[in-house]
Amino acid sequence: MAERVVRLPDVGEGIAEAELVEWHVKVGDVVREDAVLGAVMTDKATVEIPSPADGRVTWLAGNVGDLLAIGSDFVRMEVDGASERVPEAAKPASPAASALAKKADHGATTPRAPASAPPDARRSQPSAAPLHPAVERPLAAPAVRLRAREAGVDLRQIHGTGPAGRITHDDLDALLLRGRAGTPATSHLAQTAVTDIKIVGLRRKIAEKMSIANARIPHITYVEEVDVTALEDLRAKINDRKLPGKPKVTLLPFLMRAMVRAIAELPHLNAHFDDEAGIVHQHAGVHIGIATQTPTGLVVPVIRHAEARDLWDCASEVARLAEAARNGSASRDELTGSTITITSLGALGGLATTPIINHPEVAIVGVNRIAIRPHWDGSAFVPRQMMNLSSSFDHRVIDGFDAAQFVQRIKLLLETPAMIFID
């Protein structure tokens, strides 16, 4: 037997380190070639590291949440044949490493398809045991595995309904719902357990980004009430008469078109602020980020060149990217590069919020829920569909007057939606 060292490959982006988010093996496990050893995260892409050969795991690089240097030892294994502790630079890139880098560049987050070899072993066996798989590892995306681990669910209990038996979020939800339905009421029992949950993966990336934004940016938040009765009437008529091939239109495409019109008059709000260099990068293209909640955390898919899209094109792209973000198929390019962001909690939007700017942008528009409220029309109170916009601005580069002008322009366009379509 000889030692084989699996090093953390270069997964793209020119990064120097990646975060360890999941181990799929433990010391003593017997694994087959191409079996997944573990997963690392860089930016918003989760990448699985395959085994280059059959062998037995003898050493693991660290614990979930650790940052590992590119090129450092990831896993050590006992394999048949001569030792392979040779520098990575001296070896040609393996097909698995090349495929891994390509996968990272496209932001893939779904697991590898099963190899033609038998499924890899996942259980410890005595050192004298023959090399063979002990238990087949269920197929599931990293996001599903994370939810299952947090809920204390063994994925082997679930029959996957996805392609090749892959376990989906719906499969996990069905099991959790059955569990809750069969749980006896214990409302009068005192609970004393404390659960420690380490902040890792996407949740840690979100925490780091929010901390930077909150620490560096002096926010000014401007809240304005908008009468969207006419817009909601127009939207209902558009959806009632929807032509084949046209998507259902929500409020967001109207807001996106209104923002494009407002930015044309106040272009310095469509910008990034490099606070270290003291430079504002004002963008001609309007790339609108849509803050989207997913099973693993908040991500911001980007509708590029909103200035060149009509209402239905905006609606189609919002729906496509939101679904891609939620199922983990969005690429890195689709999750980066926004110049201004919209955040909305839909029906849970509350009366007002204080959105945190998506650093290094200088503005974010927050959408609150629509509610019927009494509105004074000059002679009487009448019921109207009202919605608040809660928008935050980087006060270092955006004055309060410009922030107010921007929101008031959006308000005018939303309250008179025909103006959105008039050049």
Side-chain angles (χ1 to χ4, degrees):
M1 300 294 286
E3 184 178 66
R4 177 74 178 263
V5 178
V6 182
R7 293 183 174 86
L8 184 62
D10 184 352
V11 293
E13 296 184 309
I15 62 169
E17 60 186 10
E19 181 186 351
L20 176 62
V21 293
E22 187 176 19
W23 281 120
H24 294 182
V25 296
K26 61 182 180 296
V27 172
D29 278 0
V30 175
V31 298
R32 293 291 188 186
E33 182 177 358
D34 287 334
V36 177
L37 299 173
V40 297
M41 172 174 284
T42 152
D43 194 9
K44 295 183 177 68
T46 300
V47 183
E48 295 183 337
I49 311 298
S51 173
D54 295 353
R56 189 185 311 281
V57 177
T58 60
W59 178 87
L60 300 176
N63 299 315
V64 170
D66 289 350
L67 293 176
L68 306 179
I70 299 300
S72 64
D73 290 3
F74 186 68
V75 172
R76 296 174 190 163
M77 306 164 52
E78 285 184 349
V79 299
D80 290 328
S83 174
E84 299 199 22
R85 290 186 61 88
V86 294
E88 293 293 326
K91 298 188 297 180
S94 68
S98 299
L100 178 64
K102 181 177 179 182
K103 177 179 178 182
D105 288 339
H106 286 81
T109 56
T110 53
R112 298 165 58 90
S116 57
D120 57 297
R122 298 299 175 199
R123 301 290 169 221
S124 298
Q125 299 184 21
S127 58
L131 211 62
H132 71 276
V135 179
E136 182 174 356
R137 181 173 179 272
L139 287 174
V144 176
R145 296 187 187 282
L146 177 61
R147 287 188 60 207
R149 185 164 60 248
E150 291 176 346
V153 173
D154 185 345
L155 288 178
R156 292 172 300 171
Q157 301 173 359
I158 303 177
H159 173 70
T161 60
R166 189 181 306 281
I167 298 170
T168 66
H169 286 290
D170 290 341
D171 298 330
L172 180 57
D173 289 339
L175 179 70
L176 293 175
L177 286 173
R178 287 197 302 271
R180 281 196 289 269
T183 301
T186 57
S187 58
H188 298 294
L189 299 179
Q191 302 295 316
T192 59
V194 176
T195 302
D196 295 328
I197 301 173
K198 190 172 183 178
I199 302 300
V200 299
L202 180 58
R203 188 74 259 165
R204 182 157 83 173
K205 297 290 183 184
I206 294 170
E208 290 172 353
K209 192 162 188 178
M210 291 298 101
S211 296
I212 290 172
N214 195 52
R216 290 189 178 184
I217 301 174
H219 287 61
I220 174 175
T221 300
Y222 183 96
V223 181
E224 178 59 288
E225 189 176 49
V226 182
D227 184 345
V228 293
T229 306
L231 186 149
E232 286 296 280
D233 289 344
L234 174 61
R235 191 173 69 83
K237 289 182 173 64
I238 289 174
N239 287 331
D240 286 344
R241 298 172 60 86
K242 184 171 72 71
L243 298 175
K246 294 289 187 181
K248 182 179 179 181
V249 179
T250 65
L251 181 139
L252 284 183
F254 287 97
L255 177 58
M256 292 168 64
R257 293 301 307 153
M259 288 170 61
V260 167
R261 297 292 298 273
I263 286 170
E265 299 177 14
L266 297 158
H268 55 291
L269 276 84
N270 187 55
H272 289 172
F273 180 35
D274 184 342
D275 45 5
E276 293 183 358
I279 298 173
V280 174
H281 303 286
Q282 185 173 305
H283 295 268
V286 183
H287 309 310
I288 300 180
I290 306 294
T292 304
Q293 191 65 36
T294 74
T296 55
L298 187 70
V299 298
V300 185
V302 182
I303 288 79
R304 297 189 180 279
H305 292 289
E307 78 281 2
R309 300 179 184 271
D310 63 18
L311 190 74
W312 291 270
D313 196 11
C314 286
S316 295
E317 193 68 351
V318 167
R320 183 187 73 82
L321 287 175
E323 177 60 24
R326 292 189 182 102
N327 64 30
S329 65
S331 70
R332 182 173 292 105
D333 286 343
E334 292 172 330
L335 296 173
T336 57
S338 58
T339 56
I340 189 168
T341 295
I342 296 172
T343 178
S344 171
L345 292 175
L348 300 176
L351 292 176
T353 50
T354 54
I356 295 178
I357 295 168
N358 187 19
H359 180 270
E361 297 166 24
V362 300
I364 184 169
V365 176
V367 179
N368 298 115
R369 70 169 179 259
I370 298 173
I372 297 176
R373 305 173 196 158
H375 182 73
W376 182 255
D377 67 357
S379 59
F381 283 104
V382 294
R384 303 290 288 180
Q385 296 189 72
M386 307 298 294
M387 176 189 76
N388 288 351
L389 288 180
S390 301
S391 305
S392 295
F393 304 88
D394 187 336
H395 213 352
R396 296 172 298 177
V397 293
I398 304 298
D399 295 331
F401 181 78
D402 288 343
Q405 274 194 312
F406 180 68
V407 174
Q408 291 300 327
R409 181 58 175 162
I410 293 174
K411 170 184 169 75
L412 176 63
L413 292 166
L414 294 180
E415 291 188 338
T416 318
M419 294 180 65
I420 294 174
F421 303 95
I422 299 174
D423 293 329

Coordinates of all heavy atoms in Angstrom, one line a residue, residues 149-210:
R149 N -29.2 18.0 7.4 CA -28.3 17.9 8.5 C -28.8 18.8 9.6 O -28.8 18.4 10.8 CB -26.9 18.3 8.1 CG -25.9 18.2 9.2 CD -24.4 18.2 8.7 NE -24.1 19.5 8.0 CZ -23.9 19.6 6.7 NH1 -23.9 18.5 5.9 NH2 -23.6 20.8 6.2
E150 N -29.3 20.0 9.3 CA -29.8 20.9 10.3 C -31.1 20.4 11.0 O -31.4 20.6 12.1 CB -30.0 22.3 9.7 CG -28.7 23.0 9.3 CD -29.0 24.3 8.6 OE1 -30.2 24.6 8.2 OE2 -28.1 25.1 8.5
A151 N -31.9 19.6 10.2 CA -33.1 19.1 10.7 C -32.9 17.7 11.3 O -33.9 17.1 11.9 CB -34.1 19.0 9.5
G152 N -31.7 17.2 11.3 CA -31.4 15.9 11.9 C -32.0 14.7 11.1 O -32.4 13.7 11.7
V153 N -32.1 14.8 9.8 CA -32.7 13.8 8.9 C -31.6 13.0 8.2 O -30.7 13.6 7.7 CB -33.7 14.5 7.9 CG1 -34.1 13.4 6.9 CG2 -34.8 15.2 8.6
D154 N -31.7 11.7 8.3 CA -30.8 10.8 7.5 C -31.4 10.7 6.1 O -32.5 10.2 5.9 CB -30.8 9.5 8.2 CG -29.8 8.5 7.5 OD1 -29.3 8.8 6.4 OD2 -29.4 7.5 8.1
L155 N -30.7 11.1 5.1 CA -31.2 11.1 3.7 C -31.5 9.7 3.2 O -32.2 9.6 2.2 CB -30.2 11.9 2.8 CG -30.2 13.4 3.0 CD1 -29.1 14.0 2.0 CD2 -31.5 14.0 2.7
R156 N -30.9 8.7 3.8 CA -31.1 7.4 3.4 C -32.6 6.9 3.7 O -33.0 5.9 3.2 CB -30.1 6.4 4.1 CG -28.7 6.6 3.6 CD -27.7 5.8 4.4 NE -27.8 6.2 5.8 CZ -27.2 5.5 6.8 NH1 -26.5 4.4 6.5 NH2 -27.2 5.9 8.0
Q157 N -33.3 7.7 4.5 CA -34.7 7.4 4.8 C -35.6 7.9 3.7 O -36.8 7.6 3.7 CB -35.1 8.1 6.1 CG -34.3 7.7 7.3 CD -34.7 8.5 8.6 OE1 -35.5 9.4 8.5 NE2 -34.0 8.3 9.7
I158 N -35.1 8.7 2.8 CA -35.9 9.3 1.8 C -35.8 8.7 0.4 O -34.6 8.4 0.0 CB -35.6 10.8 1.7 CG1 -35.7 11.5 3.1 CG2 -36.5 11.5 0.7 CD1 -35.3 12.9 3.1
H159 N -36.9 8.5 -0.2 CA -36.9 8.0 -1.6 C -36.9 9.2 -2.5 O -37.8 10.0 -2.6 CB -38.1 7.1 -1.9 CG -38.2 6.8 -3.4 ND1 -37.4 5.9 -4.0 CD2 -39.1 7.2 -4.3 CE1 -37.7 5.8 -5.3 NE2 -38.7 6.5 -5.5
G160 N -35.8 9.4 -3.3 CA -35.7 10.6 -4.2 C -36.6 10.5 -5.4 O -36.7 9.4 -6.0
T161 N -37.2 11.6 -5.8 CA -38.1 11.6 -6.9 C -37.5 12.3 -8.1 O -38.1 12.4 -9.2 CB -39.4 12.2 -6.6 OG1 -39.2 13.6 -6.1 CG2 -40.2 11.5 -5.5
G162 N -36.2 12.9 -7.9 CA -35.6 13.6 -9.0 C -34.9 12.6 -9.9 O -35.0 11.4 -9.8
P163 N -34.2 13.2 -10.9 CA -33.5 12.4 -11.9 C -32.5 11.5 -11.3 O -31.8 11.9 -10.3 CB -32.8 13.4 -12.8 CG -33.6 14.7 -12.6 CD -34.1 14.6 -11.2
A164 N -32.4 10.2 -11.7 CA -31.5 9.2 -11.2 C -31.7 9.0 -9.7 O -30.8 8.6 -9.0 CB -30.1 9.6 -11.5
G165 N -33.0 9.2 -9.2 CA -33.2 9.1 -7.8 C -32.7 10.2 -6.9 O -32.7 10.0 -5.6
R166 N -32.4 11.3 -7.4 CA -31.9 12.4 -6.7 C -32.9 12.9 -5.7 O -34.1 13.1 -6.0 CB -31.4 13.6 -7.6 CG -30.7 14.7 -6.9 CD -30.3 15.8 -7.9 NE -29.6 15.3 -9.0 CZ -28.3 15.0 -9.0 NH1 -27.6 15.1 -7.9 NH2 -27.7 14.5 -10.1
I167 N -32.5 13.2 -4.4 CA -33.4 13.7 -3.4 C -33.6 15.2 -3.6 O -32.6 16.0 -3.7 CB -32.9 13.4 -2.0 CG1 -32.9 11.9 -1.8 CG2 -33.8 14.0 -0.9 CD1 -32.2 11.4 -0.6
T168 N -34.8 15.7 -3.7 CA -35.0 17.2 -3.9 C -35.5 17.8 -2.6 O -35.8 17.2 -1.6 CB -36.1 17.3 -5.0 OG1 -37.4 16.8 -4.5 CG2 -35.7 16.6 -6.3
H169 N -35.6 19.2 -2.7 CA -36.2 19.9 -1.5 C -37.6 19.4 -1.3 O -38.0 19.3 -0.1 CB -36.2 21.4 -1.8 CG -34.8 22.0 -1.7 ND1 -34.1 22.2 -0.5 CD2 -34.0 22.5 -2.7 CE1 -33.0 22.7 -0.8 NE2 -32.8 22.9 -2.1
D170 N -38.4 19.1 -2.3 CA -39.8 18.7 -2.1 C -39.8 17.4 -1.4 O -40.7 17.1 -0.5 CB -40.5 18.6 -3.5 CG -40.8 19.9 -4.1 OD1 -40.7 20.9 -3.4 OD2 -41.0 19.9 -5.3
D171 N -38.9 16.4 -1.7 CA -38.8 15.1 -1.0 C -38.6 15.3 0.5 O -39.2 14.7 1.3 CB -37.7 14.3 -1.6 CG -38.0 13.9 -3.1 OD1 -39.2 13.9 -3.5 OD2 -37.0 13.8 -3.8
L172 N -37.6 16.2 0.8 CA -37.3 16.5 2.2 C -38.4 17.2 2.9 O -38.8 16.8 4.0 CB -36.0 17.4 2.3 CG -35.5 17.8 3.6 CD1 -35.2 16.6 4.5 CD2 -34.3 18.7 3.5
D173 N -39.1 18.1 2.2 CA -40.3 18.8 2.8 C -41.4 17.8 3.2 O -42.0 17.9 4.2 CB -40.8 19.9 1.9 CG -39.9 21.1 1.7 OD1 -39.1 21.3 2.7 OD2 -40.0 21.8 0.7
A174 N -41.6 16.8 2.2 CA -42.7 15.8 2.5 C -42.4 15.0 3.7 O -43.3 14.7 4.5 CB -42.8 14.9 1.3
L175 N -41.1 14.6 3.9 CA -40.7 13.8 5.1 C -40.9 14.7 6.4 O -41.4 14.2 7.4 CB -39.3 13.4 5.0 CG -38.8 12.6 6.2 CD1 -39.5 11.2 6.2 CD2 -37.3 12.4 6.1
L176 N -40.5 16.0 6.3 CA -40.6 16.8 7.5 C -42.0 17.1 7.9 O -42.4 17.1 9.0 CB -39.8 18.1 7.2 CG -38.3 18.0 7.1 CD1 -37.7 19.4 6.7 CD2 -37.7 17.5 8.4
L177 N -42.9 17.2 6.8 CA -44.3 17.5 7.1 C -44.9 16.2 7.8 O -45.7 16.3 8.7 CB -45.0 17.8 5.8 CG -44.8 19.2 5.3 CD1 -45.4 19.4 3.9 CD2 -45.3 20.3 6.3
R178 N -44.6 15.0 7.3 CA -45.1 13.8 7.9 C -44.7 13.7 9.3 O -45.4 13.3 10.2 CB -44.6 12.6 7.1 CG -45.3 12.4 5.7 CD -45.1 11.0 5.2 NE -43.7 10.6 5.1 CZ -43.0 10.8 4.0 NH1 -43.6 11.4 2.9 NH2 -41.7 10.5 3.9
G179 N -43.4 14.1 9.5 CA -42.9 14.0 10.9 C -43.6 14.9 11.9 O -43.9 14.6 13.0
R180 N -43.9 16.2 11.4 CA -44.6 17.1 12.2 C -46.0 16.6 12.5 O -46.5 16.8 13.6 CB -44.6 18.5 11.6 CG -43.3 19.2 11.7 CD -43.4 20.7 11.4 NE -43.7 20.9 10.0 CZ -42.7 21.2 9.2 NH1 -41.4 21.2 9.6 NH2 -43.0 21.4 7.9
A181 N -46.6 16.1 11.5 CA -48.0 15.6 11.6 C -48.1 14.5 12.7 O -49.1 14.4 13.4 CB -48.6 15.1 10.3
G182 N -47.1 13.7 12.8 CA -47.1 12.6 13.7 C -46.5 12.9 15.1 O -46.4 12.0 15.9
T183 N -46.2 14.1 15.3 CA -45.5 14.4 16.6 C -46.6 14.8 17.6 O -47.4 15.7 17.4 CB -44.6 15.6 16.4 OG1 -43.6 15.3 15.4 CG2 -43.9 16.0 17.7
P184 N -46.6 14.2 18.8 CA -47.6 14.5 19.8 C -47.3 15.9 20.4 O -46.2 16.4 20.4 CB -47.4 13.4 20.9 CG -45.9 13.0 20.7 CD -45.7 13.1 19.2
A185 N -48.4 16.5 20.9 CA -48.3 17.9 21.4 C -47.6 17.8 22.7 O -47.8 17.0 23.6 CB -49.7 18.4 21.7
T186 N -46.6 18.8 22.9 CA -45.8 18.8 24.1 C -45.7 20.3 24.6 O -44.7 20.7 25.1 CB -44.4 18.3 23.9 OG1 -43.8 19.0 22.8 CG2 -44.5 16.8 23.6
S187 N -46.8 21.0 24.4 CA -46.7 22.5 24.6 C -46.5 22.8 26.1 O -46.0 23.9 26.4 CB -48.0 23.1 24.2 OG -49.1 22.6 24.8
H188 N -46.8 21.9 27.0 CA -46.6 22.2 28.4 C -45.3 21.7 29.0 O -45.0 21.8 30.2 CB -47.8 21.6 29.2 CG -49.1 22.1 28.8 ND1 -49.5 23.4 29.0 CD2 -50.1 21.5 28.2 CE1 -50.7 23.6 28.6 NE2 -51.1 22.5 28.1
L189 N -44.4 21.2 28.1 CA -43.1 20.7 28.6 C -42.1 21.7 28.4 O -41.9 22.3 27.3 CB -42.7 19.4 27.8 CG -43.7 18.2 27.9 CD1 -43.2 17.0 27.1 CD2 -43.8 17.8 29.4
A190 N -41.3 22.0 29.4 CA -40.2 23.0 29.4 C -39.1 22.4 28.5 O -38.7 21.3 28.6 CB -39.7 23.3 30.8
Q191 N -38.6 23.3 27.6 CA -37.5 22.9 26.7 C -36.2 23.5 27.2 O -36.1 24.7 27.4 CB -37.8 23.3 25.3 CG -39.1 22.7 24.7 CD -39.0 21.2 24.6 OE1 -38.1 20.7 24.1 NE2 -40.1 20.6 25.0
T192 N -35.2 22.7 27.4 CA -33.9 23.2 27.9 C -32.7 23.0 27.0 O -31.6 23.4 27.3 CB -33.6 22.5 29.3 OG1 -33.5 21.1 29.1 CG2 -34.6 22.8 30.3
A193 N -33.0 22.4 25.8 CA -31.9 22.1 24.9 C -31.3 23.4 24.3 O -32.1 24.3 24.0 CB -32.3 21.1 23.8
V194 N -30.0 23.4 24.0 CA -29.4 24.5 23.3 C -28.6 23.9 22.1 O -27.8 23.0 22.3 CB -28.3 25.2 24.2 CG1 -27.6 26.3 23.4 CG2 -29.1 25.8 25.4
T195 N -28.9 24.4 20.9 CA -28.3 23.9 19.7 C -27.3 24.9 19.2 O -27.6 26.1 19.0 CB -29.3 23.6 18.6 OG1 -30.3 22.7 19.1 CG2 -28.7 23.1 17.4
D196 N -26.0 24.5 19.0 CA -25.0 25.4 18.5 C -24.9 25.1 17.0 O -24.6 24.0 16.6 CB -23.7 25.1 19.2 CG -23.7 25.4 20.7 OD1 -24.4 26.4 21.0 OD2 -23.0 24.8 21.4
I197 N -25.1 26.1 16.2 CA -25.0 26.0 14.7 C -23.9 26.9 14.2 O -23.9 28.1 14.4 CB -26.4 26.4 14.1 CG1 -27.5 25.6 14.6 CG2 -26.3 26.3 12.6 CD1 -28.9 26.0 14.2
K198 N -22.9 26.3 13.7 CA -21.7 27.0 13.1 C -22.1 27.7 11.8 O -22.8 27.1 11.0 CB -20.6 26.1 12.9 CG -19.3 26.8 12.6 CD -18.1 25.8 12.5 CE -16.8 26.6 12.3 NZ -15.6 25.7 12.3
I199 N -21.8 29.0 11.7 CA -22.1 29.7 10.5 C -21.0 29.4 9.5 O -19.9 29.8 9.6 CB -22.1 31.2 10.8 CG1 -23.1 31.6 11.9 CG2 -22.4 32.0 9.6 CD1 -24.5 31.2 11.6
V200 N -21.5 28.7 8.4 CA -20.5 28.3 7.4 C -21.2 28.5 6.0 O -22.3 28.8 5.9 CB -20.1 26.8 7.6 CG1 -19.4 26.6 8.9 CG2 -21.3 25.9 7.4
G201 N -20.4 28.3 5.0 CA -20.9 28.3 3.6 C -21.5 29.6 3.2 O -21.0 30.7 3.6
L202 N -22.6 29.5 2.5 CA -23.3 30.7 2.0 C -23.7 31.7 3.2 O -23.6 32.9 3.0 CB -24.5 30.4 1.2 CG -25.3 31.5 0.6 CD1 -24.4 32.4 -0.3 CD2 -26.5 31.0 -0.2
R203 N -24.1 31.1 4.3 CA -24.6 31.9 5.4 C -23.4 32.8 5.9 O -23.6 33.9 6.3 CB -25.1 31.0 6.5 CG -25.7 31.7 7.7 CD -27.1 32.2 7.3 NE -27.1 33.6 7.0 CZ -28.1 34.2 6.4 NH1 -29.2 33.5 6.0 NH2 -28.1 35.5 6.2
R204 N -22.2 32.2 5.9 CA -21.0 33.0 6.4 C -20.7 34.1 5.3 O -20.3 35.2 5.7 CB -19.8 32.1 6.6 CG -18.6 32.9 7.1 CD -17.6 32.0 7.9 NE -16.7 31.4 7.0 CZ -15.7 30.7 7.4 NH1 -15.4 30.5 8.7 NH2 -14.9 30.1 6.5
K205 N -20.8 33.7 4.0 CA -20.6 34.7 3.0 C -21.5 35.9 3.2 O -21.1 37.1 3.0 CB -20.7 34.1 1.6 CG -19.7 33.0 1.3 CD -18.3 33.5 1.1 CE -17.4 32.4 0.7 NZ -16.0 32.9 0.6
I206 N -22.8 35.6 3.4 CA -23.8 36.7 3.6 C -23.4 37.5 4.8 O -23.5 38.7 4.8 CB -25.2 36.0 3.8 CG1 -25.6 35.4 2.5 CG2 -26.2 37.1 4.2 CD1 -26.9 34.5 2.6
A207 N -23.1 36.8 5.9 CA -22.7 37.6 7.1 C -21.5 38.5 6.9 O -21.5 39.6 7.4 CB -22.4 36.6 8.3
E208 N -20.5 38.0 6.2 CA -19.3 38.8 5.9 C -19.7 40.0 5.1 O -19.3 41.2 5.4 CB -18.3 38.0 5.2 CG -17.6 36.9 6.1 CD -16.7 36.0 5.3 OE1 -16.7 36.1 4.1 OE2 -16.1 35.2 6.0
K209 N -20.5 39.8 4.0 CA -20.9 40.9 3.1 C -21.7 42.0 3.9 O -21.6 43.2 3.7 CB -21.6 40.4 1.9 CG -21.8 41.4 0.8 CD -22.1 40.8 -0.5 CE -22.0 41.8 -1.6 NZ -22.3 41.3 -3.0
M210 N -22.7 41.5 4.7 CA -23.5 42.4 5.4 C -22.7 43.2 6.4 O -23.0 44.4 6.6 CB -24.7 41.7 6.1 CG -25.7 41.1 5.2 SD -26.6 42.3 4.2 CE -25.8 42.1 2.6

